[in-house]
Every structure is written in C-alpha cells, then in structure tokens.
Amino acid sequence: MSPSQTSLLRWKIILPFVLTGTIWGSTWFVITGQIDGVPAAWSVFYRFALATPALFLVAFVMKRRLLLTRSEHRLAVLVGLFQFSGNFLFVYHAELFVTSGIVAMMFGLLMVPNALLARWFLGERVQGGFVMGSLIAIVGVSFLLAHEYLANPDAGVIGGNVGLGIVLAMLGILSASVANVIQANPVGRAVPMVSLLAWAMLYGTVFDFGFAFITAGAPPLPTDTGYWIGIVYLALIGSVITFPLHYNLVREIGAGRTAYNSILTISVAMAISTLFEDYRWTALTIGGVALAVVGMVLALRSKQRR
C-alpha cells in the first residue's frame, strides 16, 4: 500500500469525510420539514440568521483574519447572493415539488457547471474523461427525473409541479456553481475561507430577509418544536460544523479526492428519501442511480489526474 493510500485511511481523514457526507446527506430531508406550512424564504433566513454569528465565532476561534478589503467585501457580497441566497432559495422551493433525494442527486452534477464555468472564466481545461463521465451521470439523473414525472403524470411539463421543481433545482445548481467559481479568483484565494464564508453568509442573510419580507410578508413564528430543532440542525450542524471540516479535507487530501464525498452524500440522501418519503424504486431508478454514480466516479477520477 502506497504512502498516499495509507494517509487516506487515517482517522483524521476518515472521520470528517464520513461526517460531512452523512450530515449533508441528511440535510436534504430535514429541509422538507422547514417548508411544511412555513414560507421557504423565511426558513432560509432563519437558518442563516443563526448560522452567521456562529461562523464568525468559528473564524475568531481559528484566529482567521476578519477584516476584509473593499474588493474582498465585494466578492463576499457576490458569493453571499449566489451561495447563501440564490442557491438555497431555489433548493428549498424545489423540494416543494421534487423529493429530497432526487434534488440531492441532481446536485451531484454540480461538477459539470463548475468545470464549464472554470473553463470559461478561469481558463481551466476539461479532459475527455471528465466529459464522458459527466454525460453518463447526466443520463442516469435523467432516468430519475423521468421516473419522477411518470409517477406524477398530472404535474404537467415545464410549469407543472415536477417540471417546476426540476427547473428550480437546476437554477440552484447554477447559483452554487457561480459562487464556487468566483471565489476561486485571486481575490478569493487571498482571504481565509472561513472568513470569506462568514461575511458572504452575512450578506446573503440580509438579502434573504428582504426577499422573504417582500414575497412572503411578515416573518412567521412557528410553534412546532420540531421546526426549530431542524433550524438548529441545519444552521449549526449542517452549515457551521461541516464547512470547516470540508475545507480541511480539501487541504489534507485535495479537492479531487474530497469531491468523492458527494457520492456518500447522495447515497445517504436517497436512503433517507426511501425510508421517510416513500420513494419507490423501479428498474428505471436503479439503473439511473447506477449510471449517475458510475459517471460521477469516472468524471472525478479524470479531474483528479489533471
């Protein structure tokens, strides 16, 4: 066994890898409890209103620089708008129409717009193996989406429930991808990641408040204890704890290997959807998941060898 393989088996690597994959896989289902009777926009705001001060505290404890320059603040505003507003607002609304596991599977394709935008704006090359793997994964996810539509024939095409959910999820993927790429520019690389995320989350939360107030009226105050437990879980466990763990993995084993975490995330999300959302498996969905996972692995392996 090579030294690099041995390093991957250390608990310092295994534990955060499993924790982030499992936690992020569970958050997709927890979100469904946040949009049941409560406007999705307000649930997004509550999540990040709690997560933001906690993330600033994490940056302070880690002794990261919190004072940003004007250009760094501009970048934080953009990341906040695309990551902590657009991305999550689209995702929360998408889950009103499509099961959480399917939305998670769609987000496994985030690597595709990431690669395309990085090619256009950062000049990064895309290898043939990445393209082939991505196409296989897209076919697999298409099978899953076809099953969702066939299971809800009255939903209509674009503009119907399932179709609208798919469009919203795709817009969420695009928003997240834009945030990923723009933070990788020279300005973003000069800022400690935790500090950039804290400020971006603050700016995103301000926008979330304005959007929620304009579109959904005055903020509701749900009395369901389970709702607030979900908010705490998504804010502290699903956001504040996982982000530092994730970026530490990137530093330890590289972005390519860390990206395999998405496979674990998807597996957990689909398992939870099966158990709690009564997701029905068919030959079409089994084949779709298999193709999606195989395609993602092929694409990520190709990207890792760049």
Side-chain angles (χ1 to χ4, degrees):
M1 185 176 294
S2 67
S4 62
Q5 290 174 315
T6 302
S7 65
L8 294 178
L9 298 179
R10 291 181 291 128
W11 282 109
K12 185 179 180 182
I13 303 302
I14 295 175
L15 188 59
F17 191 95
V18 173
L19 279 176
T20 53
T22 303
I23 291 171
W24 278 342
S26 68
T27 57
W28 297 98
F29 175 70
V30 178
I31 288 173
T32 62
Q34 304 297 294
I35 55 179
D36 184 13
V38 178
W42 279 117
S43 288
V44 173
F45 167 74
Y46 288 146
R47 173 178 179 169
F48 293 121
L50 177 59
T52 298
L55 194 55
F56 270 101
L57 179 60
V58 169
F60 177 78
V61 171
M62 295 177 68
K63 298 181 179 180
R64 298 296 188 261
R65 171 171 66 91
L66 284 172
L67 294 177
L68 305 187
T69 65
R70 182 174 298 181
S71 61
E72 291 169 347
H73 272 293
R74 285 197 295 265
L75 177 61
V77 169
L78 291 175
V79 173
L81 290 177
F82 284 104
Q83 179 68 50
F84 299 111
S85 293
N87 172 29
F88 283 91
L89 287 171
F90 285 129
V91 165
Y92 274 55
H93 285 89
E95 290 200 21
L96 289 169
F97 311 112
V98 184
T99 56
S100 63
I102 297 300
V103 178
M105 181 66 75
M106 291 181 67
F107 261 77
L109 298 177
L110 181 64
M111 58 188 178
V112 177
N114 276 358
L116 294 176
L117 291 177
R119 174 70 180 89
W120 293 333
F121 295 107
L122 301 179
E124 295 184 3
R125 292 184 297 174
V126 179
Q127 291 189 338
F130 179 84
V131 174
M132 180 60 67
S134 298
L135 290 175
I136 294 173
I138 290 173
V139 171
V141 173
S142 299
F143 285 176
L144 296 172
L145 297 178
H147 172 266
E148 285 288 294
Y149 175 73
L150 293 174
N152 299 273
D154 296 330
V157 192
I158 300 302
N161 289 346
V162 173
L164 178 58
I166 292 171
V167 170
L168 290 171
M170 292 176 65
L171 289 173
I173 293 170
L174 182 60
S175 294
S177 184
V178 171
N180 286 342
V181 172
I182 61 176
Q183 64 83 28
N185 66 19
V187 174
R189 292 178 180 178
V191 186
M193 181 55 68
V194 176
S195 302
L196 177 62
L197 289 174
W199 280 104
M201 191 177 289
L202 175 61
Y203 290 127
T205 302
V206 172
F207 181 85
D208 292 336
F209 176 84
F211 180 86
F213 193 84
I214 292 173
T215 61
L221 291 176
T223 57
D224 181 17
T225 302
Y227 174 86
W228 294 108
I229 292 175
I231 287 290
V232 171
Y233 180 81
L234 290 170
L236 302 184
I237 308 299
S239 301
V240 176
I241 289 179
T242 51
F243 273 120
L245 287 177
H246 172 74
Y247 286 107
N248 183 65
L249 276 176
V250 172
R251 184 173 65 249
E252 291 284 340
I253 64 177
R257 286 171 172 166
T258 302
Y260 283 98
N261 192 279
S262 63
I263 307 300
L264 176 59
T265 298
I266 291 169
S267 300
V268 172
M270 291 301 294
I272 292 176
S273 188
T274 301
L275 291 173
F276 299 105
E277 293 183 288
D278 196 29
Y279 185 77
R280 301 293 183 179
W281 290 90
T282 65
L284 184 65
T285 58
I286 293 173
V289 169
L291 284 175
V293 171
V294 169
M296 289 176 196
V297 170
L298 291 175
L300 289 171
R301 283 178 62 85
S302 175
K303 192 173 184 180
Q304 181 182 323
R305 290 195 296 266
R306 286 177 51 192

